[in-house]
């Protein structure tokens, strides 16, 4: 059985384009041209599967994306979740996990293939070893079709409480959308023949936009005047 075979996939169509790990040279919300230098998958103890993508820019700026692409065993190991109303009751509507939609859109942009999950093979990936304090070649299930390919991204800057030092803020940069590197269009735009999403997104989220989801550090650090609070609460996919 292959890595993704136990996931229950519902062909729902990808999410609509909605306007709505950090490295030094990526320092603000915006549009970036990158190249995929690593792409591999893994599984949490809960059974939820995740995907990790390492991106590098022409100026050597680095960015990483980690997304959950299936729920855990207790939630049925699915690529989607059931929508609930304000009372917590299921409405019967199914939606893709947000990161599953991103992954599938990226796969179609890079390979032009319409499939539930990308193909995997065994390969070595440089993974940071906490004990050795350096990256070490580690055997992983990789997505070789993606590696070395250019892709553009729309990124939001985010402030959150640091995991190790809860009273200090932590900056992260989250990939909101993957775009075709040549046209700057999303997968949905390419399919529909539309354009303009990137421009609309950048007009909505200026380069000084910050998604501030801090809790503890807000008691210690004054919020900046240009900071936006955009946190949402969702059921865990684990």
């Amino acid at each position: 059985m292959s890595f993704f075979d136990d996931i229950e996939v519902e062909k729902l169509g990808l999410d609509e384009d909605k306007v709505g790990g950090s490295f030094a040279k990526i320092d603000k919300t915006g549009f970036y041209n990158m190249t995929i230098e690593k792409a591999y998958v893994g599984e949490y103890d809960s059974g939820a599967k995740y995907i990790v993508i390492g991106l590098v820019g022409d100026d050597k700026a680095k960015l990483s994306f980690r997304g959950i692409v299936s729920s855990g065993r207790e939630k049925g190991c699915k690529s989607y979740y059931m929508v609930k109303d304000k009372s917590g009751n299921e409405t019967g509507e199914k939606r893709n996990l947000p990161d599953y939609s991103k992954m599938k859109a990226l796969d179609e942009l890079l390979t032009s293939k319409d499939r539930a999950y990308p193909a995997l093979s065994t390969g070595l990936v440089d993974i940071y070893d906490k004990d050795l304090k350096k990256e070490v070649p580690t055997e992983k299930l990789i997505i070789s079709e993606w590696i070395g390919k250019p892709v553009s991204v729309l990124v939001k800057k985010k402030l959150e409480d640091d995991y190790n030092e809860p009273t200090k803020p932590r900056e992260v940069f989250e990939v909101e959308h993957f775009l075709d590197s040549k046209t700057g269009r999303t997968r949905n735009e390419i399919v529909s023949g539309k354009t303009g999403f990137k421009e609309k997104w950048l007009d909505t989220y200026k380069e000084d936009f910050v998604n501030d989801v801090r809790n503890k550090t807000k008691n210690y650090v004054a919020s900046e005047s240009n900071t936006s609070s955009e946190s949402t609460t969702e059921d865990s996919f684990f």
Side-chain angles (χ1 to χ4, degrees), residues 42-52 66-82 84 97-99 163 234-238:
E43 184 174 335
Y44 294 110
D45 291 341
S46 65
K49 292 178 169 63
Y50 63 86
I51 190 167
V52 176
R66 177 185 289 257
I68 298 170
V69 296
S70 86
S71 57
R73 285 180 291 273
E74 288 189 4
K75 291 183 178 289
C77 202
K78 296 177 173 64
S79 68
Y80 61 92
Y81 65 98
M82 303 301 298
K84 295 180 180 180
L97 301 184
D99 290 335
Y163 301 127
E234 293 183 346
D235 288 341
S236 169
F237 299 131
F238 289 80

Side-chain angles (χ1 to χ4, degrees), residues 97-146:
L97 301 184
D99 290 335
Y100 173 81
S101 269
K102 291 179 185 179
M103 178 214 67
K104 192 171 185 306
L106 175 61
D107 190 40
E108 290 190 29
L109 283 173
L110 297 179
T111 70
S112 300
K113 296 177 182 178
D114 181 5
R115 53 190 177 182
Y117 287 94
L120 302 176
S121 59
T122 302
L124 293 176
V125 181
D126 289 335
I127 305 292
Y128 185 77
D129 186 293
K130 293 181 179 178
D131 296 326
L132 297 176
K133 296 183 175 9
K134 66 177 183 179
E135 290 191 334
V136 177
T138 307
E139 188 173 278
K140 293 284 186 180
L141 287 173
I142 66 171
I143 309 170
S144 59
E145 289 177 286
W146 294 5

Side-chain angles (χ1 to χ4, degrees), residues 2 13 42 78 84 134 171 205-206:
S2 68
K78 296 177 173 64
K84 295 180 180 180
K134 66 177 183 179
E171 287 185 354
Y205 300 108
K206 308 296 186 182

Side-chain angles (χ1 to χ4, degrees), residues 35-40 52-55 125-127 135 147-148:
T35 298
I36 297 175
E37 63 174 357
K38 63 179 71 172
Y40 63 94
V52 176
I53 303 169
L55 301 138
V125 181
D126 289 335
I127 305 292
E135 290 191 334
I147 298 172

